[in-house]
Amino acid sequence: MDINLFSKITKELLACNGRAVVPGFGVFTTKEMPATFSDRGFTINPPYYRVDFVNSDEDDGAFVELYSRSNNVDRAKSVRMISDFISELKADLTSKKVVSLPEFGKLRTTLQNMTFFIQEDNLDIFPSYDYLEPV
């Protein structure tokens, strides 16, 4: 597994289920945000979806299943490959404090080793509001 595939699987699970449980790492969830006014109140920004991340040991099996299916690999091997990747990801976060997820966002780690997610400004995985523009 590589960072591109990790991003792709996570985005696909979010688009289908509204959440992506990454075993041994955490849970990405979506939250619908209401329309807002700009800082000066001259522009109305449309509603959008925000992606949040929470550290968790939860595992619903969906991430492994999708990885296994998309790479034509058995479940046991998929679990090992994902586990190895997550170990490397955690090590990178500990040493670099930031890991970029292509076309998705960034994972950042604080000095207290809390991980949080910053999504890309133009994250395009939720078609519900794609046709809306600021007014």
Side-chain angles (χ1 to χ4, degrees):
M1 173 174 260
D2 65 8
I3 199 75
N4 292 317
L5 185 56
F6 176 82
S7 293
K8 182 180 176 187
I9 290 173
T10 304
K11 289 184 340 185
E12 190 170 329
L13 288 171
L14 281 170
C16 293
N17 307 328
R19 65 186 304 214
V21 179
V22 181
F25 187 61
V27 180
F28 291 88
T29 56
T30 59
K31 182 176 182 182
E32 191 171 9
M33 302 301 292
T36 58
F37 285 100
S38 66
D39 291 343
R40 295 188 176 157
F42 297 119
T43 305
I44 300 173
N45 298 307
Y48 65 98
Y49 283 95
R50 181 179 78 199
V51 177
D52 292 325
F53 174 79
V54 176
N55 292 304
S56 173
D57 290 330
E58 185 179 343
D59 184 7
D60 64 0
F63 197 92
V64 173
E65 177 64 30
L66 185 55
Y67 179 83
S68 181
R69 229 183 21 242
S70 63
N71 291 294
N72 204 16
V73 177
D74 67 61
R75 182 171 173 73
K77 187 172 182 179
S78 295
V79 168
R80 281 193 311 275
M81 293 175 84
I82 291 168
S83 178
D84 291 346
F85 174 79
I86 295 302
S87 295
E88 290 175 24
L89 179 62
K90 287 179 178 180
D92 283 349
L93 280 169
T94 300
S95 64
K96 298 176 185 174
K97 301 295 183 201
V98 177
V99 172
S100 292
L101 304 175
E103 299 177 12
F104 188 40
K106 294 179 182 178
L107 286 167
R108 298 193 90 147
T109 301
T110 65
L111 293 174
Q112 295 79 22
N113 286 326
M114 292 300 298
T115 303
F116 61 96
F117 177 73
I118 303 165
Q119 74 184 48
E120 280 192 0
D121 288 337
N122 55 355
L123 185 60
D124 188 27
I125 57 175
F126 309 108
S128 306
Y129 299 123
D130 280 354
Y131 62 93
L132 298 175
E133 294 182 20
V135 188

